[in-house]
Amino acid sequence: MARPSADGAVDPGLAVVAGARPSFEELYLSSYQSLVRLAFVLTSSSELAEDLVQDCFVRLHRHYDRLDTPDRYVRQAVVNACRSHFRRQGRERDRRPLLYVVDGEAASASSGSHPGELHDLLLALPYRQRAAVVLRFYADLSEIEIAEVLGCRPGTVGSLIHRALQHMRRSLER
Amino acid sequence: MSPKRLARGRVDPVELVPVVGKELGSALRARASTVHVEPDLSDLARRIQAAEDNPRPRGRLALAAAVVLSAAVAGGTLGSLLGPTHPQHALFSSIAGDQGGRLPGGPGHSRPHGRANNQLSAPRRLSRATVIKRVTGAGTSLAAYGTWLAPVAVSSGTAATSCHRAELVTTTATEGGARGTATGVVAVQPLAANGLELVDSGALPTPAGRDLWWATVAVGTRVARVAAEEPGGTTDVMFPAQGIAVLGGVAPSSATSRYFSIVAEDAAGQSLHSIGFLAGSGQEAVGTSQSRKAADPLVPGCESVATPVMGATARGSKPAAPLLAAASVVSAFHQAYNFALPADLAENLAAVASSDTLPGFGQSTRTINQPSKSATASAQAVDVSQVVFLSADTAEVIYRAGSGRWRTGTAVLTGRGSWQVARTTFCGDVANGFPLPGVVRPSLERICSR
């Protein structure tokens, strides 16, 4: 009957239905919002996020019966779809709005006071750095899990996150 | 906590990671929490249909596709053989239900609703549309999606359902990070005007230690207001929409099962009917059986309630998505047995398991593609009344052609992921006098005899 999902209050990553492997429809219904939010964090557009997630479920539907962990598959598909979107659009940094121009006072006062500011800083990062940071700090994935999603070594994940945070820090200092 | 301010160019990553990282996580969650979206199965179905109708060659397959395309162009026969063999050819055409090219919920979409007016025009294909989306006064988000089951009943668990035209209603409830779904069937045979029937219900704990509960009910035409009550008083009220009401809310935890009464009232506020149930218990509601009209005739096209009793019961695992699989099964039977003339047997046989490996298949196809001028048979429709999944890859199906007798056949899941009519079923029908246009019978008999 009722099936609780782990769609937690803070939408942590994409843990979907616990226990038995969910049906395609169950997985879709239970994980749709959290996946859209993940895509939104990566793209800053909820409309685009919904579009990408729907397309990812189309791909998932094609392979669903052959997948042991469809939730992981679709999460990875969403991250890759966001990357593909930016690739199609060319240089994403040319396309995204520039960072807020933050002066020293504002920077020191704004940290944590405006969720959108850190998000905008994030959106200025190269995609792989951005994805690594989002998967680490938003989705709370381990470096090994992030490496699986991004298709790289775990050591590379640490490097990506380190460089991303350095970049953000420099931006805050300007 | 702000990151420590350093001189320009100086970086302190050891400090940076916990500070920025922690704040970043919080900031991103706060930002993400502003996004509220609902799953849209209709749109998903349409996309899947479009993807299957227009498969894109990828990578190295592109070359193979080009070769196939060239071969198809060069040789009409090969093209005709390859043309209709897309995997899951019609799987989502059933779900999308875009009859007449319109999509459910889209412009011009008219949602047939026999419950309210008794004018039964349920489509032969499944369509899915949002019935209700609402947020209760307490902030609980409720949504109900309806999926028409045309003359098909899909078994659940070990019990074979009887055949009604019915609508599958899936309800989702969301509150404070908890989300639950439940599914029930609304029979199209109209309820009595005062009727009230529980479709589904559920209850689950929220992260905050309370219970999220919900209930979906079908109501008759006189019901203007539905209220959920528990010993503490009325907890939620809704004016039904399209014969459905979805009620829900949060309550102090009580082991995820709560007793409710749901009361149906008319426009004057007079109580018409009430039912009691334990949300989340899976038990039948008390009082439901009184609400249905006793003398309602069977819905036209639903005579299958009197058709052969399905001996099978589900004994193995079901497909991952039973509803979609059922739609695929129905589509396969329609494709296999629909012999419009001039008959393109290749398309019919594409829905029959193992037929493409039969010797003589191509020759027979060519023959039928040049129909006799004297052929006068008309398109033969098939009705599928029931699908019971025996396992994840086998289903037993009750079907018939036109007004013929009901038969029991088998559908199998192919390696390509689509459902097809079992060859034994199809060829058995050819041999046993299934009504076929005369022009195609000789060819099919040749194919099946090999």
Side-chain angles (χ1 to χ4, degrees):
Chain A
M1 201 155 195
R3 176 194 289 277
S5 80
D7 187 4
V10 292
D11 215 33
L14 303 168
V16 281
V17 181
R21 186 176 185 270
S23 71
F24 176 80
E25 291 148 324
E26 288 172 331
L27 178 62
Y28 175 73
L29 293 172
S30 64
S31 63
Y32 180 77
Q33 173 152 297
S34 56
L35 285 167
V36 170
R37 287 179 171 179
L38 173 67
F40 169 76
V41 170
L42 288 168
T43 63
S44 83
S45 165
S46 58
E47 292 79 13
L48 173 62
E50 282 198 85
D51 192 47
L52 294 176
V53 170
Q54 288 287 73
D55 281 345
C56 289
F57 273 102
V58 172
R59 287 198 289 280
L60 175 66
H61 176 260
R62 198 179 302 151
H63 307 295
Y64 192 81
D65 289 336
R66 298 194 294 273
L67 296 172
D68 292 331
T69 53
D71 52 335
R72 289 188 183 183
Y73 174 92
V74 71
R75 178 175 62 200
Q76 184 164 349
V78 168
V79 174
N80 290 337
C82 294
R83 179 175 57 193
S84 299
H85 168 76
F86 288 124
R87 277 181 176 166
R88 282 195 301 272
Q89 290 216 334
R91 296 167 59 86
E92 72 241 43
R93 275 197 263 188
D94 292 345
R95 301 260 178 169
R96 299 248 61 90
L98 282 175
L99 302 178
Y100 291 163
V101 178
V102 182
D103 61 26
E105 288 299 316
S108 59
S110 67
S111 184
S113 64
H114 191 312
E117 182 181 341
L118 280 175
H119 192 198
D120 287 339
L121 287 172
L122 179 75
L123 292 171
L125 295 173
Y127 185 79
R128 275 165 64 86
Q129 290 183 22
R130 186 194 318 165
V133 166
V134 167
L135 293 172
R136 176 68 188 87
F137 296 111
Y138 172 73
D140 285 332
L141 298 191
S142 68
E143 290 193 353
I144 293 175
E145 291 171 314
I146 297 170
E148 185 182 320
V149 173
L150 296 181
C152 62
R153 291 183 294 111
T156 306
V157 172
S159 172
L160 286 170
I161 293 174
H162 180 80
R163 277 185 278 146
L165 294 180
Q166 272 189 333
H167 193 285
M168 294 176 73
R169 177 66 173 270
R170 287 197 192 103
S171 299
L172 280 171
E173 287 175 354
R174 282 176 197 141
Chain B
M1 182 176 177
S2 301
K4 185 179 177 182
R5 306 293 302 160
L6 299 176
R8 181 182 298 273
R10 281 190 59 200
V11 175
D12 184 0
V14 175
E15 185 179 0
L16 184 70
V17 171
V19 173
V20 174
K22 183 179 176 183
E23 293 194 359
L24 187 57
S26 301
L28 293 179
R29 289 187 185 108
R31 192 75 187 268
S33 67
T34 63
V35 176
H36 296 282
V37 293
E38 290 290 341
D40 188 343
L41 276 161
S42 298
D43 177 65
L44 179 64
R46 184 166 47 82
R47 289 174 188 236
I48 290 176
Q49 174 70 63
E52 289 171 355
D53 286 347
N54 303 291
R56 288 189 302 175
R58 299 180 58 189
R60 285 171 292 184
L61 291 178
L63 178 60
V67 171
V68 169
L69 182 62
S70 300
V73 170
T77 301
L78 182 57
S80 68
L81 285 173
L82 293 172
T85 58
H86 303 305
Q88 301 185 359
H89 171 69
L91 173 59
F92 256 95
S93 64
S94 298
I95 293 296
D98 50 341
Q99 301 201 335
R102 293 179 302 202
L103 293 168
H109 176 65
S110 174
R111 188 167 184 276
H113 230 283
R115 280 188 302 271
N117 55 18
N118 201 18
Q119 294 176 354
L120 297 169
S121 56
R124 300 186 65 79
R125 295 184 168 196
L126 307 180
S127 64
R128 186 153 197 156
T130 302
V131 182
I132 292 170
K133 273 188 181 182
R134 64 180 288 251
V135 178
T136 68
T140 302
S141 297
L142 300 166
Y145 303 90
T147 302
W148 282 102
L149 298 175
V152 183
V154 182
S155 73
S156 63
T158 56
T161 55
S162 57
C163 174
H164 299 274
R165 274 189 184 155
E167 188 177 25
L168 199 67
V169 174
T170 299
T171 307
T172 64
T174 310
E175 168 68 43
R179 181 189 188 115
T181 66
T183 299
V185 173
V186 179
V188 170
Q189 285 98 321
L191 293 171
N194 298 348
L196 176 66
E197 189 170 88
L198 183 68
V199 177
D200 66 58
S201 73
L204 58 87
T206 69
R210 294 158 65 85
D211 282 353
L212 166 64
W213 68 270
W214 70 95
T216 303
V217 293
V219 299
T221 53
R222 274 193 66 199
V223 177
R225 181 178 183 270
V226 179
E229 298 179 349
E230 59 177 343
T234 299
T235 58
D236 192 21
V237 175
M238 183 187 172
F239 300 103
Q242 302 185 75
I244 292 282
V246 184
L247 303 161
V250 290
S253 180
S254 64
T256 73
S257 184
R258 305 186 68 83
Y259 183 81
F260 287 93
S261 293
I262 292 188
V263 180
E265 299 174 352
D266 64 13
Q270 182 182 357
S271 176
L272 300 173
H273 199 87
S274 67
I275 56 175
F277 66 98
L278 281 170
S281 70
Q283 296 177 12
E284 293 291 329
V286 176
T288 299
S289 61
Q290 303 300 315
S291 62
R292 189 169 293 285
K293 277 183 180 175
D296 275 340
L298 284 177
V299 180
C302 277
E303 298 86 345
S304 54
V305 287
T307 59
V309 174
M310 197 72 102
T313 54
R315 58 174 179 264
S317 60
K318 289 187 295 183
L323 184 62
L324 305 186
S328 181
V329 168
V330 174
S331 294
F333 271 77
H334 279 278
Q335 185 178 342
Y337 288 100
N338 187 6
F339 293 97
L341 292 178
D344 183 356
L345 273 191
E347 182 154 1
N348 295 91
L349 292 173
V352 179
S354 304
S355 62
D356 52 352
T357 60
L358 294 173
F361 171 77
Q363 183 180 357
S364 300
T365 302
R366 279 196 301 273
T367 301
I368 299 307
N369 278 336
Q370 299 165 3
S372 161
K373 290 181 180 177
S374 62
T376 55
S378 59
Q380 182 65 68
V382 67
D383 286 326
V384 176
S385 71
Q386 190 166 347
V387 179
V388 174
F389 291 105
L390 306 179
S391 66
D393 58 5
T394 308
E396 204 161 322
V397 183
I398 289 183
Y399 66 104
R400 71 175 180 181
S403 57
R405 67 180 178 86
W406 292 94
R407 300 159 185 257
T408 302
T410 303
V412 294
L413 182 65
T414 68
R416 294 187 298 242
S418 60
W419 286 83
Q420 293 182 318
V421 180
R423 183 170 179 264
T424 51
T425 295
F426 186 81
C427 289
D429 285 334
V430 172
N432 295 322
F434 191 87
L436 301 170
V439 68
V440 303
R441 180 174 292 283
S443 295
L444 291 177
E445 287 175 343
R446 276 201 303 277
I447 291 171
C448 287
S449 66
R450 292 186 171 97

